[in-house]
Amino acid sequence: MLVLTRKTGEGIIIGDNIRITVVEIKGGGIRLGIDAPSDKKIYRQEVFDRICQENKEALQWNLADLNALSTSLTQKKGQS
Amino acid sequence: MIKIVTRFGEIEYDPTKTVHFPEGLIGFEHLRDFIVMPNEKEGPLFWIQSIDDPQIAFVLTDPTNFFLEYRVKPDQRECQKLGIQSQDDCFCLSVVTVPTDRKITLNLAAPILFSPSTNRALQVILENSSHSARTPLPQ
């Protein structure tokens, strides 16, 4: 991993069209400004990781459970 | 028709009727094409099977079956990726987690936007929302 030291107001350029600026450093947190093309997806890492993990867990299922659930969910809907 | 072998057995599908995820799903960016599988039993749940990886299949549902107020609309950039003109040409699906205790949860934090007219879909992350990636069904 490339490690760089930056001060408030300084930035980093990545490729042709991504610019990251250190906006503010305060109380252990760093505010970053990111200029990137609108087709670049930008997520907080922990949010992204959480969805990755959830998608992985969503792969663990079997048809017997799905069929049983479909029956019970349809019955519930019929009752309401 | 084309046949593939999946973890659920052999599946036959029409290659013109697959759903294309131009960016894959989150964490599965390399898997772009899925077959929509109607469930054997009637009900709100169905599943999509990856064409490229026989092990990968996700259970999906229309979240408004359970959460009437839940709405997610694509922004302009997402409309472009879906190949649609209007954000109304698209509806929302949720990935369902089916644990062995059958207490299912819906991932309302990362819905799938689906355009039936172009058969394209995107999974988006709602970063600034209070929705959980593991939302239980309402009691």
Side-chain angles (χ1 to χ4, degrees):
Chain A
M1 190 196 292
L2 172 67
V3 179
L4 301 169
T5 302
R6 305 278 64 202
K7 294 179 177 136
T8 304
E10 293 182 342
I12 299 166
I13 307 283
I14 301 174
D16 295 329
N17 45 24
I18 298 175
R19 183 209 308 258
I20 299 172
T21 310
V22 178
V23 175
E24 190 183 20
I25 304 173
K26 196 170 155 188
I30 301 173
R31 282 167 64 82
L32 299 173
I34 302 162
D35 285 311
S38 62
D39 65 322
K40 292 277 181 239
K41 295 188 283 182
I42 301 168
Y43 299 118
R44 289 173 179 81
Q45 172 139 27
E46 70 279 13
V47 176
F48 183 85
D49 289 348
R50 173 100 177 83
I51 301 301
C52 273
Q53 185 57 33
E54 199 55 43
N55 274 348
K56 284 203 181 95
E57 286 178 28
L59 295 174
Q60 310 299 319
W61 58 277
N62 62 63
L63 277 176
D65 286 337
L66 192 65
N67 287 337
L69 276 163
S70 294
T71 304
S72 67
L73 290 170
T74 308
Q75 280 167 357
K76 251 187 216 165
K77 222 182 175 184
Q79 283 165 8
S80 61
Chain B
M1 298 294 274
I2 296 179
K3 280 180 187 173
I4 55 167
V5 177
T6 73
R7 74 183 176 97
F8 306 104
E10 197 174 67
I11 289 174
E12 206 178 42
Y13 71 97
D14 179 346
T16 63
K17 289 188 180 150
T18 57
V19 175
H20 181 63
F21 287 75
E23 299 178 341
L25 279 89
I26 312 288
F28 298 89
E29 285 78 7
H30 57 297
L31 300 176
R32 302 286 171 92
D33 294 291
F34 287 80
I35 310 161
V36 179
M37 302 295 299
N39 198 15
E40 287 171 30
K41 304 264 183 181
E42 196 191 334
L45 306 177
F46 64 99
W47 48 289
I48 56 171
Q49 168 66 51
S50 164
I51 291 172
D52 306 302
D53 186 336
Q55 296 301 318
I56 303 291
F58 293 98
V59 178
L60 303 183
T61 193
D62 176 347
T64 57
N65 280 317
F66 308 101
F67 301 94
L68 290 175
E69 306 294 312
Y70 185 78
R71 292 279 182 285
V72 183
K73 294 281 182 191
D75 62 23
Q76 205 183 351
R77 183 175 59 96
E78 288 156 354
C79 283
Q80 217 167 24
K81 287 178 185 169
L82 290 167
I84 54 177
Q85 303 294 324
S86 156
Q87 58 173 209
D88 297 326
D89 296 340
C90 150
F91 63 91
C92 180
L93 298 168
S94 293
V95 179
V96 183
T97 302
V98 184
T100 45
D101 65 6
R102 296 181 183 169
K103 291 184 177 156
I104 63 171
T105 58
L106 270 54
N107 186 345
L108 297 186
I112 290 173
L113 299 171
F114 171 63
S115 153
S117 58
T118 58
N119 273 333
R120 282 197 221 170
L122 289 176
Q123 188 176 29
V124 298
I125 299 180
L126 308 179
E127 263 211 278
N128 299 313
S129 88
S130 55
H131 291 299
S132 164
R134 205 172 278 187
T135 308
L137 294 187
Q139 291 303 309

